[in-house]
Amino acid sequence: MPSPPAELTTRAETTEAERSCVADENAWTHPPSIICPPGADSSGSSSSSSETPTPARPSSPAAPIMRTIASVGSMLESLQSSKATVAPVASLKLYDGLGSDQVREITVDRLKWAFFSLGLRAGVASTLFVLLVGFVIAGSETASVEAIAALYYPLFRAMLLLSYFGILFGVLLFAWKRCGIDYTAILGVDGGRTNVHAVVRASTSLMGLNFSAFVLYWLALLRIVPHAHAWPASALLLTLAYLLWPFDHMAEWSDAAQRADCARCVGRVLLAGLVPTTFASSFVADILTSMPKLFIDLLQTSCIYLSGEALRSGDWDPQRRAFERGLSVCTGDTPAYRHAFALFSVLPFVLRALQCGRQLRDATAAGSPEWRGPAPHIAK
C-alpha cells in the first residue's frame, strides 16, 4: 500500500502538537495561538519527525505580558472562588508583654497605641521644656530669673529631677530587657510589677505636670495669670498625690505595687547600716550620690512651707529684685537651717558609706575569702 505524502504527515503531526499546546496553555486561560506557534509544543521545540519540518511562526512580543495578565487573573479568580477574606492589620493579634515578663495576646492596634501614647507624652514634655527655655531667655525686668531663683526654684528643680531620673530608669530597664539582661533577678523585683511602660509614663506625666506649673508661675510673674504662689504649691501637692496614691493609675501594669516597691527600696537606703545591703538599695544609693542637690532642694522646699514663709513672702519687687518680705528663717543666717544644710549636702555620701561598711561586716561575719583582707577593698 503506498505511503501518504510527506506534506500530509507533517501537517498531521503539527496539528497534534497544536492540540498539546492548547491543553497546556488552557491552564493559564490565554489563547494558544499567541503563545504556541504552529509546529511547536509548549516548550517551544518542534514536534515534527519529518526531515523537512514546517518553519515555526515567531512568537508575538506580547506573549510575556499576556502570561503575566493571565497569572494575575487566575489568582484573582481563585481568591474570588474561595471567598477568601483578609483581616485588617489593626485586628491582627500577637503575643507580647508590653514591657513585662507576662506575655499575653494583644492586637497590633493595642501595641501601636501603647507606643504612640508613650511617644506623645515624651514629646509634650520636650515641647514644654523648649517653651520654658524660651521664656527664660526672653525674661524681663518684671519677671527675671532672680524672681524664680529667690524662692521656688529649688522646688521645681527637685520635682523635675525626680521625673528626669525616673525617665532614665525606664530607659535603662528597656535597654536591659532588649539586651537579654534579667533585671528582675539583679534588682530582686517582680517582672510583672517593674515595667518600662509604667515607669516612663509616670515619669513623663510628672514632668509634664511640673513643666506646666513652672510655665504658669512664670506667666504669673509677668502678670498674665493670677495667683503666682498657687502654681508651685500645686506642682508639689499634685506630685505627692500622684506618688502616694494607694491605687493604680495604670491597672494593667500594677503601678501602685511598683511605687510601693520603690518606696521600700528608698527606705532601705535611708536605713543604711541597720539593714543588709542589696544590689537594688546600693543601686539607688549610687543614683542619689549623683544628685545631692535633690536633698538640699527638698530641705529648702520643706522649710519655706513648714515655716510659712512661702505664704508671707509677698509679691516680687522688680526694683529691689526681691520679694516684699523675703526669707528670714530658711537662710544661712539661721543656725538650725545652716546645720541642716550641711548635713543634707553630704547625706547621700554618708548613706553609701554606711552601706559599704555593712557589706564589709556581713561578708567578714560570713567568712567570705574575698573580704579577708579588707584594706585592698576599701575603694569598692
Side-chain angles (χ1 to χ4, degrees), residues 200-222:
V200 174
R201 277 175 168 77
S203 301
T204 51
S205 297
L206 290 177
M207 181 171 287
L209 186 153
N210 287 288
F211 270 130
S212 300
F214 192 100
V215 171
L216 289 171
Y217 176 61
W218 183 272
L219 295 177
L221 293 176
L222 290 170

Side-chain angles (χ1 to χ4, degrees), residues 160-173:
L160 294 176
L161 275 176
L162 289 175
S163 305
Y164 175 68
F165 274 88
I167 293 176
L168 291 183
F169 179 62
V171 172
L172 180 62
L173 291 180

Side-chain angles (χ1 to χ4, degrees), residues 28-29 36 42 69 80 100 130 132 134 143 157 175 203 210 231 240 255 257 260 275 285 319 322 331 343 363:
W28 298 95
T29 66
C36 298
S42 59
I69 294 174
Q80 186 177 6
S100 67
V130 173
L132 173 63
R157 181 171 59 185
S203 301
N210 287 288
W231 305 116
L240 292 177
D255 64 299
V275 296
Q319 302 298 328
T331 64
L343 173 62

Side-chain angles (χ1 to χ4, degrees), residues 175-332:
W176 278 348
K177 190 172 184 63
R178 292 289 296 175
C179 295
I181 299 175
D182 187 5
Y183 65 83
T184 59
I186 296 175
L187 299 178
V189 295
D190 183 0
R193 299 193 318 188
T194 303
N195 186 284
V196 57
H197 284 268
V199 172
V200 174
R201 277 175 168 77
S203 301
T204 51
S205 297
L206 290 177
M207 181 171 287
L209 186 153
N210 287 288
F211 270 130
S212 300
F214 192 100
V215 171
L216 289 171
Y217 176 61
W218 183 272
L219 295 177
L221 293 176
L222 290 170
R223 304 293 195 274
I224 297 177
V225 298
H227 310 300
H229 295 285
W231 305 116
S234 64
L236 177 62
L237 293 176
L238 290 176
T239 299
L240 292 177
Y242 187 93
L243 295 177
L244 299 179
W245 185 252
F247 306 106
D248 288 324
H249 299 295
M250 296 166 279
E252 60 181 319
W253 290 304
S254 303
D255 64 299
Q258 294 189 54
R259 285 183 273 118
D261 290 341
C262 181
R264 282 190 290 268
C265 188
V266 173
R268 293 182 68 89
V269 174
L270 297 178
L271 295 175
L274 302 178
V275 296
T277 303
T278 62
F279 178 84
S281 62
S282 63
F283 179 76
V284 173
D286 283 335
I287 294 176
L288 294 179
T289 57
S290 301
M291 42 193 280
K293 277 288 186 181
L294 175 64
F295 289 81
I296 299 174
D297 293 340
L298 293 177
L299 171 66
Q300 175 77 6
T301 301
S302 302
C303 182
I304 62 175
Y305 281 110
L306 293 178
S307 65
E309 286 194 310
L311 303 178
R312 297 193 304 265
S313 59
D315 296 328
W316 174 257
D317 186 354
Q319 302 298 328
R320 296 174 48 246
R321 292 184 176 273
F323 284 95
E324 292 178 353
R325 284 174 286 277
L327 299 178
S328 59
V329 177
C330 304
T331 64

Side-chain angles (χ1 to χ4, degrees), residues 271-277 353-363:
L271 295 175
L274 302 178
V275 296
T277 303
L354 292 174
Q355 284 185 337
C356 293
R358 178 58 188 258
Q359 282 183 295
L360 178 60
R361 196 200 74 170
D362 292 344

